[in-house]
Amino acid sequence: MSERRAKRRLMNEINVVPYIDVMLVLLVIFMITAPLISPGQIELPQIGKSLAPPVAPLEVVIRADGSLSLHDRTKPGGEQKVSRTELVEAIKQKQAQNTEQPVVIAGDKSVRYEEVINVMDILQQQQVKKVGLLARPNEPK
C-alpha cells in the first residue's frame, strides 16, 4: 500500500471545461432575463427656468469719504448718490419687483471695514435677501 501512495503525482493542470459550462449557463440566463427588465422612469430636468437670464446685481458703492451710491446695472447711467434710508427703500422697491434681485457691496479699499459691516447690518435688518461683497481679482504678477 505504501507503494501505491508513492506513485501519486501532483496534478498541475486545471480542467476548465466545468467553468466554461457555468459561464455559458450564466450567459444564457442573462440573455433571457435582460429583455424582461423594464427600464425605470427617468426624470429629466425642466429647461423653462434655466433659460431665464441672470439678474444683474444692484451695486452699493461705499466711497472713501463714507458716502453711499447705488449703481443699477440695468439702467444706463444708473449710479445715484443715496442716504442710508433711501438705499434701503430703493433696494426694497427693486426686490419687490424681482425677489431674486441680488445686492453686492463694493467698498473703496481705503474704507474702514466697519462701514461695510454697518451697511450689511442695515440691509440684513431690513430683510434684504442675497447680499454679497464685490472684490477685484488680483492681477497676475
Side-chain angles (χ1 to χ4, degrees):
M1 206 192 241
S2 63
E3 292 177 15
R4 211 179 210 186
R5 287 187 189 168
K7 290 183 179 182
R8 286 177 105 188
R9 288 188 302 154
L10 292 174
M11 189 169 127
N12 59 358
E13 297 175 3
I14 297 176
N15 189 5
V16 294
V17 174
Y19 298 119
I20 294 173
D21 291 342
V22 170
M23 293 303 291
L24 287 174
V25 169
L26 287 174
L27 179 65
V28 169
I29 290 172
F30 283 123
M31 287 174 60
I32 292 172
T33 58
L36 300 176
I37 297 173
S38 63
Q41 288 287 66
I42 298 174
E43 301 262 343
L44 296 176
Q46 300 292 329
I47 62 168
K49 291 183 180 179
S50 65
L51 291 178
V55 180
L58 291 174
E59 190 174 322
V60 178
V61 181
I62 305 173
R63 305 248 181 251
D65 60 353
S67 64
L68 299 175
S69 59
L70 183 64
H71 183 210
D72 189 357
R73 294 182 181 192
T74 59
K75 297 178 183 175
E79 188 166 334
Q80 58 182 345
K81 287 196 170 210
V82 291
S83 67
R84 294 183 192 275
T85 56
E86 292 171 344
L87 173 71
V88 172
E89 289 176 18
I91 291 175
K92 283 219 169 248
Q93 181 183 12
K94 251 331 205 180
Q95 283 192 339
Q97 295 170 0
N98 184 2
T99 57
E100 297 297 314
Q101 178 70 54
V103 179
V104 293
I105 300 173
D108 191 85
K109 73 177 179 180
S110 62
V111 170
R112 293 186 53 170
Y113 192 67
E114 180 181 9
E115 291 294 323
V116 176
I117 295 298
N118 287 339
V119 172
M120 286 180 75
D121 189 39
I122 290 169
L123 296 176
Q124 184 182 18
Q125 287 174 359
Q126 298 297 321
Q127 283 81 32
V128 174
K129 301 175 185 105
K130 293 192 175 187
V131 177
L133 294 176
L134 188 65
R136 184 180 322 175
N138 285 338
E139 297 173 2
K141 295 180 181 179

